[in-house]
Amino acid sequence: MPAPVPDLRALGVEIARLRRERGMSIDRLAEASEVHRKSIIQIEAGRVAARISTLHGIAHALGVPLTELVAPVCARHPKTAQKPTPII
């Protein structure tokens, strides 16, 4: 079964919500996360799939665990897998 498509819009909404909740501008988040301002805008708009290293930097700058940041991406996925996929 193919992997579900990630909800990039939900991720962007969550990042924007956390940023605003902390009183951060896009420029301030970009500086703190060492991610280009244009990338933050694209991610918040749900137009791009960010690399894990980018999301890690954003999560760190927002002061949240990466798992909390990306939780909305997976929230709508069915929980069909019982066992973790083995790494080959």
Side-chain angles (χ1 to χ4, degrees):
M1 178 189 327
V5 177
D7 188 348
L8 299 179
R9 181 71 184 129
L11 174 63
V13 167
E14 181 67 5
I15 291 170
R17 183 188 70 76
L18 290 167
R19 176 179 59 76
R20 287 187 201 105
E21 191 176 89
R22 284 153 178 73
M24 296 177 83
S25 67
I26 288 174
D27 289 328
R28 185 166 163 220
L29 177 57
E31 183 178 333
S33 63
E34 298 182 1
V35 174
H36 195 278
R37 177 184 188 280
K38 289 182 181 181
S39 295
I40 299 288
I41 292 168
Q42 294 288 319
I43 294 166
E44 285 190 2
R47 290 187 283 239
V48 297
R51 293 175 181 238
I52 192 75
S53 58
T54 299
L55 295 175
H56 181 264
I58 291 170
H60 181 74
L62 293 170
V64 298
L66 181 58
T67 54
E68 182 180 324
L69 185 70
V70 299
V73 174
C74 301
R76 297 187 184 127
H77 294 178
K79 307 287 191 248
T80 56
Q82 298 290 333
K83 299 177 187 175
T85 305
I87 298 176
I88 299 174

